[in-house]
Amino acid sequence: SPVQIGTITDWLTLSAGDSHTLALKTDSTLWVWGLSTNGRLGLGTATTNRSSPIQVGTFKDWSAISAGQQHSLAVKTNGTLWAWGNNASGQLGNGTALSQSSPIQIGTLTNWQTVSANL
């Protein structure tokens, strides 16, 4: 049966990946929980799993999120695109195959509105 996660009541949207979840609150903060392998949580580490929501950084400017199988994508309110997690197949879009454990900006465009990460 469904159970409430904690007592926070100002969630705006969420996206579930293979073993991790991203969520946006109404104050535009980004929250994550689940498996941290390959840095998919964006917390700067690939070794600390989280069983309850934890905020990614201190920014209050996230507007869209999508959790993939082992990576995550997000858009900020200024229209920039951000990615983190497993990048073995170049899924982060930064021109490398190196995984990232913290959000990194992808390119310089500022007109992104939405994202969708494939499982």
Side-chain angles (χ1 to χ4, degrees):
S1 297
V3 295
Q4 182 173 334
I5 298 172
T7 58
I8 299 172
T9 59
D10 59 344
W11 299 111
L12 179 64
T13 189
L14 62 87
S15 178
D18 181 35
S19 300
H20 71 296
T21 303
L22 308 179
L24 283 180
K25 290 177 61 176
T26 56
D27 65 358
S28 298
T29 55
L30 173 61
W31 295 72
V32 296
W33 61 95
L35 191 65
S36 186
T37 307
N38 296 312
R40 72 183 82 185
L41 296 182
L43 298 172
T45 179
T47 59
T48 306
N49 300 332
R50 301 295 180 156
S51 60
S52 59
I54 183 168
Q55 187 174 346
V56 177
T58 58
F59 295 110
K60 293 183 175 186
D61 60 351
W62 300 100
S63 64
I65 54 171
S66 185
Q69 185 173 12
Q70 295 183 23
H71 70 292
S72 302
L73 305 174
V75 175
K76 287 192 172 190
T77 56
N78 65 1
T80 55
L81 176 63
W82 296 74
W84 59 96
N86 185 17
N87 195 30
S89 299
Q91 58 267 51
L92 300 185
N94 66 343
T96 76
L98 300 174
S99 296
Q100 299 291 324
S101 62
S102 298
I104 59 166
Q105 186 174 337
I106 306 302
T108 58
L109 296 177
T110 59
N111 59 349
W112 297 96
Q113 293 181 346
T114 188
V115 289
S116 180
N118 202 359
L119 289 178

